[in-house]
Amino acid sequence: MRNFTDSLSILIAQSSLLRANVNHSKKQMTQQAVRVRFAPSPTGGLHIGGVRTALYNYLLAKKLGGKMLLRIEDTDQTRFVSGAEEYIIEALSWVGITIDEGVGVGGPHEPYRQSERKEIYQKYSQQLLDEDKAYYAFDTSEELDAMRQTFESQGSAFQYNAITRLKLSNSLTLSPEDLKAKLDAGVPYVIRLKIPAKDEVRFKDLIRDWVHVHTSTLDDKVLMKSDGMPTYHLANVVDDHLMEISHVIRGEEWLPSAPMHVLLYRAFGWESTMPQFAHLPLLLKPEGNGKLSKRDGDLGGFPIFPLEWTNPDGSKAKGFREEGYLKEAMVNFLVLLGWNPGTEQELFSMEELIETFTLERINKSGAKFDINKAKWFNQQYLKNYPDEDLARMYLPNYETDTALKIVHLFKERVTFPQEIGEEATALFATPETYDEAIVAAKWNDDAKRGITAFKDALPSIENFLAEDIKHTLHEELEKLGIKMGKIMQMLRVALTGAGAGPDLMLSMEIIGKKEVIARLEKAILQLTVIS
Ligand code: GLU
């Protein structure tokens, strides 16, 4: 016979199994389709952190067979910058993030630009007014400033909240007649959310776990502004609800707003279908102290925008694309800023990321923006980039065969593809000067004899190919009994002016017989005069 504790533990185990099953099926029943959104405000060039946010959203959507939305949050007319929306769309498409629904694509919840959804927000704010969950507030900014000062002089901070609202000018303190008179007279007002005095907001962030906030610490946030436009908070919550968003994945800077958003969902009666939140870690300065800023980019000489951005005043900010970062490298670099695969793998294609990505592996702590890592990724992807494409894109003025050879010669030596073009130009320029230190150390009799003999043998090479050139060099040096290693660097200096560079035989093949002979003649002459 089992004893009592045994049966009790079995009972507990069974009941929790039962509960787990119930929870499971409940979850399945209510499980929403995965719908995520990237919701930028068109206030200027999209910060690179925004691209990472979009990328994480996209990866989750693709992984779970969901939809990725693009919503433009342009309700703050004072911060609107024209061209920013187009820029955002171009930046996302550059890195390969495709939008399923939203601005530029359309979809069942049109319009996706918040400035075109004014009536919707008006309707929902009216609902909250009618249900006594929001109220009109007429306080002018001067009055609120005065309030703030009074509080400050008493050593505390002013909040428009359950206590102070009763002493301010709003529909909770005005008589119905006065309220009507003000509204009729068109006195400007805002609509504020009536945050409960004593309540707790509790939600589970997928990255930060449970977040608890007491409502006494929150103030009655403005939902509708005096210009008739909603604030970010109202528009964001209403749209996430109407657009059936399942996961809100956004930057950590929005975490302080989240409790208030939860209260809004509650006020609307939408809490049970509220999206899940995931607040992403900050991007930190390269040294790791503090948030990455535009200034860090200027100081470190690197962009913080995906594409070049032209400010309204005509000034330009660098873009990763224009600097020569490949989109594959960008994606790979960005995804690892705050997420890790849990393995040693470093290089991921977009398809592999879609397969591997999980929100669980996003870190809580900020990620250092190490630009050297971005460069390293660029080199890795550049190495594997098809030669034909690089030749076509970066060496359009060269004959195809030569262009391919140049690409082959340089692509593993450079960080950015456009450097291949720069290197090519340098390769075809006859040197004007020769590395002095190397000349001083190595321009000796053997070098002079060996290089001269080599030069004299060159005209007899029929196919001027690296292999044959090398063979000729060997032969000539052997005849003279000079060791190859003794004169190689000097030969390079004679040909290019510099002591180091890419494969010399291939370089000669590309430069061509006539030019190689001419350069060697010039060098022998000039160096003999010097020494
Ligand atoms: N419009 C906000 C932004 O510019 C969106 C924040 C959110 O995703 O909720 O970042």
Side-chain angles (χ1 to χ4, degrees), residues 490-509:
M490 199 49 236
L491 179 59
R492 182 185 290 284
V493 171
L495 280 162
T496 67
D503 186 282
L504 195 58
M505 302 304 151
L506 199 54
S507 300
M508 284 191 268
E509 177 182 324

Side-chain angles (χ1 to χ4, degrees), residues 144 173 197 225:
L144 291 175
T173 56
K225 296 177 282 188

Side-chain angles (χ1 to χ4, degrees), residues 37 39-41 73 232 236 240 248-250 253-254 261:
R37 84 300 192 273
S41 299
E73 303 209 326
Y232 153 72
N236 191 268
D240 281 346
V248 165
I249 305 168
R250 61 183 171 195
E253 63 272 30
W254 301 105
H261 294 177

